[in-house]
Amino acid sequence: MAQTARWRGIIDAYRSYLSLPADAPTLTLHEGNTPLVPARHAGRGADLHFKIEGANPTGSFKDRGMAVAVSGAMAEGARFLVCASTGNTSASAAAYAARAGLPALLAVPAGDGAVAQGKLAQALAFGARLVLVGGNFDQALAAVRALAAARPDAALVNSVNPLRLEGQKTGAYEVVEQLGDAPEWLCIPVGNAGNISAYWRGFCEYRQSGRAGRVPRLIGAQAAGAAPLVHGREVDEPKTLASAIRIGRPASAHLARAAVAEADGRFLAVSDADILEAYRFLARREGIFCEPASAASLAGFWQAQRAGLIAADQRVVCVLTGNGLKDPERAIAEGEPTVRAEPTAAAIAAALPPELRDA
Ligand code: F0G
């Protein structure tokens, strides 16, 4: 792998592996090269590592795919970018659009809690045009696909754009490079089902080229109220507090199903309570602040471990797809109550738990 000090993003590092037109520029925010951090407690006997995708420039894995998709759009002479999003794709599209000097048109579901506040703030900060659609993500995606089909001057940057998955597969490359081989299991949250498909492609390519000796088995974790791949049927009204993966008709369902079948993996449904337990555990016991959808991967790992699917000493990677700051309202709601105090040492020390109040 390129050395950290020289890291200039995934296109610079992996261009010959990406099906990007040769004349495409390298538009980058130096995405990728994210940390792989060993778990201290969450592994419960397994050799568990976290791929911290929240360390990407806009705080999610989307930046890998967006760098490639927007570079491709520039090569094609697109006049604007368009996408539907539960928030992270739109934040990433807005950033890369700004850097490319292209307008971005972002369609996100309207309504309370449909998109976490941090993601809306990003889209607005980057100067994008934000359209609040009276419908859910699946409806918004259908609408922008129709729009893009009618507008040859538009670049659709959802993961139905093949360049998005090309970029995102580099997450798997990095995992292999960081561990020296693929792990035995990879646990990853699934919404529109692009990322699990991209990781699988990345692992298969690295095995074929001899860089990896094996491919992992896959756990695709879906929120129980938005689990079309677990139950084998689309969900008209997906429900979960993990708004990033509140998706009932995954656009890449076919790819994800094939990947999980080839990988001898599983799709698992994790409840909102399990997602929150994993979210709190990651922050409070591991010191890792991810967004709720990302914690679904740890919840999925724990479920698979409890079911005896994952053996005690196996090597496992959970992909933590987005940064916790994306959803400040959830973090504050889950936090301990705050206390008020006068500006004196004694008053502030009184906030310590009883056993720590005296030296
Ligand atoms: N985790 C996070 C934080 C996400 O934002 C998403 C998807 C996923 C997991 C699931 O990935 O869709 O490739 O299966 N977010 C999209 C968006 C849908 O619009 O930001 P997937």
Side-chain angles (χ1 to χ4, degrees):
M1 180 170 27
Q3 283 169 16
T4 305
R6 296 183 52 248
W7 185 261
R8 287 187 293 264
I10 59 148
I11 301 177
D12 177 67
Y14 301 116
R15 187 185 266 265
S16 64
Y17 299 83
L18 307 172
S19 63
L20 188 62
D23 62 339
T26 298
L27 187 84
T28 182
L29 287 162
H30 293 203
E31 62 292 318
N33 193 26
T34 57
L36 187 76
V37 178
R40 293 204 71 202
H41 309 288
R44 299 178 175 166
D47 179 21
L48 176 66
H49 302 254
F50 299 113
K51 184 67 171 154
I52 314 285
E53 288 293 280
N56 275 298
T58 77
S60 86
F61 70 95
K62 306 287 182 180
D63 294 340
R64 296 178 185 274
M66 205 57 69
V68 182
V70 177
S71 295
M74 291 170 77
E76 278 178 8
R79 290 172 63 219
F80 67 101
L81 308 182
V82 63
C83 69
S85 183
T86 57
N88 280 323
T89 297
S90 53
S92 184
Y96 284 81
R99 196 157 176 89
L102 289 169
L105 181 63
L106 314 173
V108 303
D112 251 15
V115 180
Q117 289 287 311
K119 304 173 187 180
L120 294 176
Q122 288 178 290
L124 296 172
F126 291 124
R129 187 70 163 163
L130 193 58
V131 183
L132 307 175
V133 175
N136 61 29
F137 167 83
D138 301 298
Q139 294 167 308
L141 179 59
V144 299
R145 289 179 85 160
L147 185 160
R151 287 291 301 262
D153 55 341
L156 179 65
V157 294
N158 281 105
S159 55
V160 294
N161 178 333
L163 293 179
R164 278 279 314 277
L165 300 198
E166 282 293 285
Q168 285 167 212
K169 74 185 180 186
T170 63
Y173 292 175
E174 289 179 17
V175 167
V176 170
E177 287 158 3
Q178 288 166 314
L179 290 174
D181 201 346
E184 286 161 290
W185 291 89
L186 183 96
C187 305
I188 188 166
V190 174
N192 214 23
N195 209 32
I196 190 171
S197 309
Y199 266 79
W200 182 242
R201 185 188 296 172
F203 285 121
C204 290
E205 288 177 358
Y206 258 29
R207 187 186 52 180
Q208 265 153 30
S209 70
R211 284 178 175 72
R214 62 180 177 213
V215 290
R217 296 177 72 185
L218 299 177
I219 301 283
Q222 296 212 283
L229 290 161
V230 179
H231 302 305
R233 72 189 112 76
E234 296 188 327
V235 178
D236 290 335
E237 287 180 27
K239 289 190 179 64
T240 168
L241 64 81
S243 57
I245 52 172
R246 193 180 290 152
I247 294 175
R249 301 176 189 278
S252 296
H254 54 298
L255 295 176
R257 268 198 217 96
V260 165
E262 285 170 36
D264 190 20
R266 299 280 190 285
F267 291 109
L268 298 178
V270 292
S271 68
D272 278 4
D274 290 348
I275 289 174
L276 274 186
E277 187 196 349
Y279 170 81
R280 291 165 58 105
F281 192 100
L282 279 162
R284 293 172 178 229
R285 302 294 309 285
E286 300 284 353
I288 297 172
F289 184 27
C290 66
E291 64 174 288
S294 308
S297 62
L298 178 60
F301 162 69
W302 280 341
Q303 190 184 120
Q305 201 180 40
R306 278 196 305 270
L309 198 57
I310 299 182
D313 55 352
Q314 287 191 305
R315 178 168 272 186
V316 183
V317 168
C318 281
V319 183
L320 301 183
T321 46
N323 195 295
L325 286 170
K326 294 277 191 174
D327 194 349
E329 288 173 310
R330 173 58 56 189
I332 291 165
E334 293 301 311
E336 298 300 316
T338 54
V339 293
R340 288 181 177 276
E342 295 304 316
T344 68
I348 294 170
L352 281 167
E355 68 275 15
L356 287 177
R357 270 180 213 156
D358 299 308

